[in-house]
Amino acid sequence: MVDRDVGAALAALEAHRVEIGHHTMAEFFAQDARRFERLSLRLGDMLFDYSKHRINDATLAHLLSLARAAKLEEKRAALFSGEAVNVSEHRPALHMALRNFSGRKVMVAGRDVMPDIFAMREKVYGFAKGIRSGAFRGATGKPFTDIVNIGIGGSDLGPAMAARALSPFAQKGLRLHFVSNVDGADLSDTLAGLDLATVLFIVSSKTFTTQETMTNAASARARLVAALGESAVGDHFAAVSTKLDLVERFGIRDDRVFGFWDWVGGRYSIWSSIGLALAIAIGPDNFDDFLRGGHEVDDHFTQAPLHENIPVIMGLLGIWYRNIWGFGTHAVIPYDQRLARFPAYLQQLDMESNGKSVRREGGPVKMSTAPVIWGEPGTNGQHAFFQMLHQGTDIVPVDFLVAAEPIDADAHHHRLLFSNCLAQAEALMRGRSRGDVDAMLAKSGMNADEAAQLAPHKVFAGNRPSSMILYRRLDPMMLGRLIALYEHKVFVQSAIWDINAFDQWGVELGKELASRLAPIVSDDKADLSALDASTAGLIDYRRKLLS
Ligand code: F6P
């Protein structure tokens, strides 16, 4: 029944695309003076403008029918009520509880988890205050000046992205570093020039078994012991994990261990103790604001009608382009240098959540799922890949993110930044016609032959879609909103595709094969005959290079 309804809604969207596909956004704007007002939504002082899309009212109606056919509202209710929506791991996905300020209980297996969340958050805040004030010091009595978070994936990208985004709110004199790659250069380069007597290591790993993190943690520990002795480990290490027994075996003191729960997915864990490094940097009050921003979006997502619901509209626009137009990638371009790591953060959030080929019950998905998410800050991207966005053969829908005012930055620079952001969105939408190019070249005095040669190169097709998220300034609350908006956007799409957004089995095979190959790579005499010819040949070639 659901499949039939979804199929019918998709077919209606296909037919609708054929009907309106030859119309341009420029025409839509010309026909409707109120298009911007009608196709933009507000959340607090944030504006989401989705008027520059290949849509009209009928498109939205069709997309909302699709959402209803896919039972989006029922699936959203299941998510928030703590049902085991992560069906392959039999658990709920309740990261929203970590930012729940409603006073309502959140039940997991018949138990309200809010008291545990509050208690753990108090422990995190107490530790953060101790580090910030200098009350907690290293083994030699010096206050900490450098925090090194060791983690990968969700245990790295969230805190690393947020620490950079909120750097103006961070305590001066306390530097944050993030080590993630098993490439030893990451740890070495990070520690080069640091005085280990003033370094606090935070080992962040949900499972406390991840090869990269455990390897980096062991090396960091060895370096600390070599510099300050075994007894210094207790003062210089903290850990964040759900596996407290494994943390204990590593030798980290109880009062420096911060837990969270298996119903918090790695890529959704910035709101939990995984935010420890961030909480130390920006302090409890700012961290609370960050959580409140996320909570505000949860309220909006659960309460706003679908047609006024920002993550719902974001998700459905993505479906329109991915499944009906066949566009394979989606760019996120923050005109906000401090959001430089946001596209990388979204790559994990979106592609690890929705990069799936099977449906929740195990059958194949018959539609394309997660697009490639990518991006870099503007204006830098303009001088790198925007050529392709404007004139390439593939259409890339873009999300532009920009603040109305800078924090700790020059207002003149910011006006230029803002103008560039608007100009790019406008250029993508309007393009430049052959007629305009011909007129321009004629006016410039170019001879007719030369002008005819050059003109096609200067034409921009235009009609290229983008959304704009415009906010007052990038403060903790706004960052919380942004992350939660994208989390729910990803959920909306998973609901349409009927996939489980909360597991990640696709990363397992590579991990298993790497563990199998590690001893073979380490042993020059190991037998390669059981390996495929390419893998064996590559190992053999490396042996020759090193012999
Ligand atoms: O890449 C797979 C993954 O499991 C991610 O989902 C997770 O964020 C990352 O590895 C790190 O895992 P952990 O926090 O358990 O070390």
Side-chain angles (χ1 to χ4, degrees), residues 152-155 205-207 210 213 266-267 348 352 504 507 511:
I152 197 164
S155 301
S205 175
K206 181 177 172 183
T207 55
T210 304
T213 302
R267 53 193 173 275
Q348 187 197 17
E352 195 167 85
Q504 58 282 322
V507 298
K511 281 190 198 170

Side-chain angles (χ1 to χ4, degrees), residues 179-468:
V179 172
S180 51
N181 201 325
V182 75
D183 182 343
D186 201 2
L187 183 68
S188 290
D189 292 358
T190 302
L191 296 187
L194 297 189
D195 174 5
L196 287 175
T198 61
V199 171
L200 174 75
F201 291 100
I202 301 175
V203 185
S204 295
S205 175
K206 181 177 172 183
T207 55
F208 227 69
T209 54
T210 304
Q211 186 193 58
E212 293 91 333
T213 302
M214 299 328 294
T215 306
N216 279 322
S219 299
R221 191 183 195 283
R223 284 184 186 229
L224 185 87
V225 170
L228 301 176
E230 184 71 36
S231 60
V233 172
D235 289 323
H236 288 263
F237 270 85
V240 183
S241 186
T242 58
K243 296 284 187 261
L244 304 184
D245 47 334
L246 299 182
V247 177
E248 199 184 328
R249 255 181 261 161
F250 188 88
I252 295 176
R253 271 172 30 195
D254 251 13
D255 59 326
R256 305 237 160 149
V257 177
F258 304 89
F260 62 112
W261 304 273
D262 69 355
W263 40 263
V264 181
R267 53 193 173 275
Y268 299 88
S269 62
I270 175 65
W271 317 98
S272 73
S273 312
I274 288 288
L276 177 63
L278 178 68
I280 293 173
I282 64 174
D285 290 347
N286 282 320
F287 197 85
D288 258 1
D289 281 353
F290 168 69
L291 297 178
R292 280 180 203 284
H295 177 65
E296 188 186 355
V297 170
D298 293 337
D299 277 351
H300 170 80
F301 181 51
T302 48
Q303 289 163 24
L306 294 188
H307 67 283
E308 290 172 1
N309 198 308
I310 299 173
V312 171
I313 301 289
M314 287 169 77
L316 292 177
L317 286 169
I319 297 285
W320 172 235
Y321 293 125
R322 183 78 184 109
N323 298 116
I324 310 298
W325 287 86
F327 302 157
T329 87
H330 182 105
V332 179
I333 315 289
Y335 275 70
D336 202 320
Q337 186 60 27
R338 294 193 182 111
L339 284 176
R341 296 289 287 155
F342 195 55
Y345 175 80
L346 292 183
Q347 283 178 330
Q348 187 197 17
L349 177 63
D350 199 312
M351 292 156 81
E352 195 167 85
S353 295
N354 283 346
K356 315 273 167 74
S357 312
V358 291
R359 298 176 58 176
R360 290 187 311 157
E361 93 297 350
V365 189
K366 301 222 174 75
M367 302 176 249
S368 299
T369 59
V372 175
I373 302 291
W374 60 284
E376 277 287 316
T379 58
N380 296 17
Q382 290 174 210
H383 301 274
F385 52 80
F386 268 58
Q387 165 64 37
M388 180 269 193
L389 296 186
H390 287 293
Q391 289 188 315
T393 50
D394 290 279
I395 308 275
V396 182
V398 180
D399 290 352
F400 289 103
L401 277 53
V402 69
E405 65 181 11
I407 298 178
D408 272 3
D410 185 282
H412 170 61
H413 283 242
H414 193 266
R415 283 190 288 270
L416 293 178
L417 179 76
F418 190 76
S419 308
N420 270 280
C421 180
L422 259 48
Q424 292 301 323
E426 187 187 0
L428 286 169
M429 190 258 292
R430 281 169 41 150
R432 177 170 277 160
S433 70
R434 176 65 189 251
D436 285 352
V437 173
D438 286 342
M440 266 174 50
L441 294 179
K443 204 170 159 207
S444 75
M446 187 178 278
N447 78 54
D449 281 353
E450 212 181 320
Q453 283 278 327
L454 182 59
H457 299 279
K458 297 189 76 116
V459 170
F460 290 57
N463 202 32
R464 299 194 170 206
S466 68
S467 301
M468 182 76 64

Side-chain angles (χ1 to χ4, degrees), residues 116-160:
D116 290 351
I117 291 174
F118 294 139
M120 189 51 71
R121 196 185 301 154
E122 278 316 305
K123 188 174 176 187
V124 165
Y125 285 174
F127 186 63
K129 284 182 198 159
I131 300 292
R132 287 165 65 85
S133 68
F136 297 160
R137 293 172 176 240
T140 64
K142 291 187 189 169
F144 293 110
T145 56
D146 295 88
I147 315 287
V148 178
N149 185 83
I150 299 177
I152 197 164
S155 301
D156 164 74
L157 286 164

